[in-house]
Amino acid sequence: MTIGMIDDNHQLYVLNLKLSHNTHILIGKREVYFSEGFYVYIGSAIRNIRKRVERHYKLEKRKHWHIDYIREYAKWINAYTFPFGEGECALKALIQKATDGTVEVNKIGSSDCGCDSHFLKVTSPFQPCLLNVQPFTNS
């Protein structure tokens, strides 16, 4: 399995994940319920995006971000990176609209902004062709 398509000059990333079954996940001191299905996580890394995405890929690590707690339970599908553009909140809004994504739990990945969440439940793995922006590709 590959981690995904990473352009070292990009600052935004989208992780495609799958929860195989309904589960309760302890995130810090907060127990959160997630239903089985596909999810996308939208994040940013102003520097060293490759290291950030590779860190999210690993299961064994010190937990720092919300996604670190979820990754223990979620299967990694792939990742895409994007140029910064208008930022991760704008990318989240585009993805939510394009996929009809829903927020199951507020403030996952968005504790430092006004968004409801940067973790969306979707009906199938996110594909960049759904947006009017292109991610990095190897071709």
Side-chain angles (χ1 to χ4, degrees), residues 24-84:
H24 287 85
I25 300 173
L26 190 61
I27 300 177
K29 295 178 181 177
R30 178 177 155 197
E31 185 173 322
V32 182
Y33 172 80
F34 294 95
S35 61
E36 72 175 286
F38 296 103
Y39 289 85
V40 294
Y41 178 79
I42 300 96
S44 64
I46 302 307
R47 293 181 307 278
N48 300 319
I49 193 165
R50 182 173 302 276
K51 285 185 179 183
R52 175 72 57 85
V53 172
E54 287 173 349
R55 183 187 190 286
H56 290 324
Y57 179 75
K58 291 187 230 173
L59 294 174
E60 307 262 336
K61 61 188 165 234
R62 182 176 83 67
K63 292 176 181 68
H64 179 71
W65 291 287
H66 294 131
I67 193 65
D68 295 339
Y69 295 89
I70 297 166
R71 270 293 290 133
E72 282 186 47
Y73 300 88
K75 177 184 174 199
W76 182 278
I77 297 172
N78 60 19
Y80 297 100
T81 65
F82 296 85
F84 191 72

Side-chain angles (χ1 to χ4, degrees), residues 42 120 126:
I42 300 96
L120 302 171
F126 166 73

Side-chain angles (χ1 to χ4, degrees), residues 17-25 32-39 73-75 102 104 119-124:
L17 305 167
K18 182 179 182 186
L19 284 172
S20 300
H21 55 280
N22 299 339
T23 188
H24 287 85
I25 300 173
V32 182
Y33 172 80
F34 294 95
S35 61
E36 72 175 286
F38 296 103
Y39 289 85
Y73 300 88
K75 177 184 174 199
T102 59
E104 280 203 339
F119 192 66
L120 302 171
K121 184 166 189 189
V122 293
T123 56
S124 61

